[in-house]
Amino acid sequence: MNFIFNTLLAQNYHSNSQKSRVLTEDWVEKNMYCPICGNPYISRYKNNHPTGDFYCEGCASDFELKSKESSTGKISKTISDGEYSTMISRITSFRNPNFFFMTYKDYKVSNLILIPNHFFTPNIIIKRKPLSPNARRAGWTGCNIDISSIPESGKIFVVKDQIEIPHKKVISDYAKIKSLKTKNLDSRGWLLDTLNCIEKIPEKEFNLSQVYAFENELKLKHPDNNFIKDKLRQQLQHLRDKGFIEILSPGHYRKI
């Protein structure tokens, strides 16, 4: 990979957002492969395509790119996105895109992560305040993507601190979490919330009481569920079946 942007492409643009879009999308088109099937390139859709910015001809996966200039190069906990209802509609649709999140500094890629589409749930989309009545787009409501709420296993580095991660590792990391894919949003949310809780436990081996410690936190996310502990036990069984944890003895587990 060549981490340097082709800045000549931005000479005829005046808006910083337009420059960023042109430079980063060109970089992805020139340098990026499909992290899902390993196809050596991905293609760019025409601007404002409803299913994303890029697609893979090999596996028909869609990708959307979000990029931000950063003085530190680090990816922030929240990412600014477009209109709230549009975003909710996209991630709950049958063909929701996978996301690339990129930071760059001095027109060089600093970090690039892939977050697969099945790691997106409505509760990570944070609604912003509507624009004031005096604004040009009065009432328009944007959103932020809270990627800090996404389990670490769902954040796959393609470039980390200007170091390219080997293609085989990226593809392998995706393959490991593919089993979490489900079309049912409620099931997806509970599975990812439980995985998030497990990742917050520092020890590799843990017990049920450590998982139950997140009961109040999960109650805030799922106020209509009065059986949080029962749901957690169910999700632990699912995570065992999908190869993320193993049961050592009743109530005792180990992360895989």
Side-chain angles (χ1 to χ4, degrees), residues 126-141:
I126 311 302
K127 182 188 288 187
R128 299 202 299 263
K129 290 182 178 180
L131 295 181
S132 70
N134 298 324
R136 183 170 59 87
R137 292 187 294 169
W140 184 87
T141 305

Side-chain angles (χ1 to χ4, degrees), residues 158-170:
V158 179
V159 176
K160 187 172 185 179
D161 299 329
Q162 287 200 341
I163 297 174
E164 180 182 359
I165 306 302
H167 294 201
K168 287 185 178 180
K169 175 170 171 45
V170 173

Side-chain angles (χ1 to χ4, degrees), residues 12-139:
N12 295 326
Y13 293 90
H14 300 289
S15 164
N16 287 333
S17 62
Q18 287 180 320
K19 290 180 180 179
S20 176
R21 178 183 59 80
V22 168
L23 295 176
T24 56
E25 288 186 0
D26 174 75
W27 184 90
V28 170
E29 185 176 28
K30 296 285 197 312
N31 291 274
M32 196 58 211
Y33 55 95
C34 179
I36 293 176
C37 73
N39 198 28
Y41 63 89
I42 56 177
S43 303
R44 195 191 321 195
Y45 280 122
K46 292 182 179 179
N47 289 343
N48 302 315
H49 195 277
T51 58
D53 299 317
F54 301 90
Y55 65 96
C56 173
E57 293 181 352
C59 64
S61 297
D62 292 318
F63 302 91
E64 180 153 327
L65 172 66
K66 298 294 178 185
S67 58
K68 183 179 181 180
E69 186 173 14
S70 169
S71 59
T72 64
K74 302 300 181 183
I75 294 175
S76 60
K77 293 182 178 181
T78 58
I79 306 292
S80 178
D81 197 68
E83 205 270 332
Y84 173 77
S85 60
T86 301
M87 184 60 176
I88 292 295
S89 177
R90 293 185 69 195
I91 68 168
T92 57
S93 69
F94 175 73
R95 195 174 175 182
N96 56 321
N98 304 280
F99 278 80
F100 288 127
F101 291 102
M102 175 196 291
T103 57
Y104 63 92
K105 179 182 178 182
D106 299 327
Y107 299 110
K108 296 178 183 178
V109 176
S110 300
N111 285 284
L112 178 67
I113 62 172
L114 164 74
I115 298 183
N117 54 12
H118 56 284
F119 276 79
F120 278 80
T121 57
N123 64 9
I124 71 167
I125 309 301
I126 311 302
K127 182 188 288 187
R128 299 202 299 263
K129 290 182 178 180
L131 295 181
S132 70
N134 298 324
R136 183 170 59 87
R137 292 187 294 169

Side-chain angles (χ1 to χ4, degrees), residues 20 80 82 123 128 200 209 212 222 249 252 256:
S20 176
S80 178
N123 64 9
R128 299 202 299 263
K200 291 177 182 177
S209 63
Y212 285 165
H222 305 275
S249 62
H252 289 81
I256 298 178

Side-chain angles (χ1 to χ4, degrees), residues 119 151 153 176 179-180 187-188 190-199 206 211 231-247 253-256:
F119 276 79
S153 53
K176 290 175 184 176
S179 64
L180 295 175
S187 299
R188 184 194 306 175
W190 269 106
L191 198 59
L192 297 180
D193 284 343
T194 306
L195 181 58
N196 227 341
C197 294
I198 291 172
E199 289 185 348
F206 60 97
V211 181
K231 197 69 175 181
L232 283 170
R233 290 196 300 273
Q234 179 193 63
Q235 299 309 306
L236 289 171
Q237 294 287 341
H238 290 328
L239 289 171
R240 180 205 63 180
D241 295 342
K242 293 176 183 297
F244 281 80
I245 62 174
E246 60 179 333
I247 299 177
Y253 307 87
R254 178 189 290 131
K255 302 175 190 178
I256 298 178

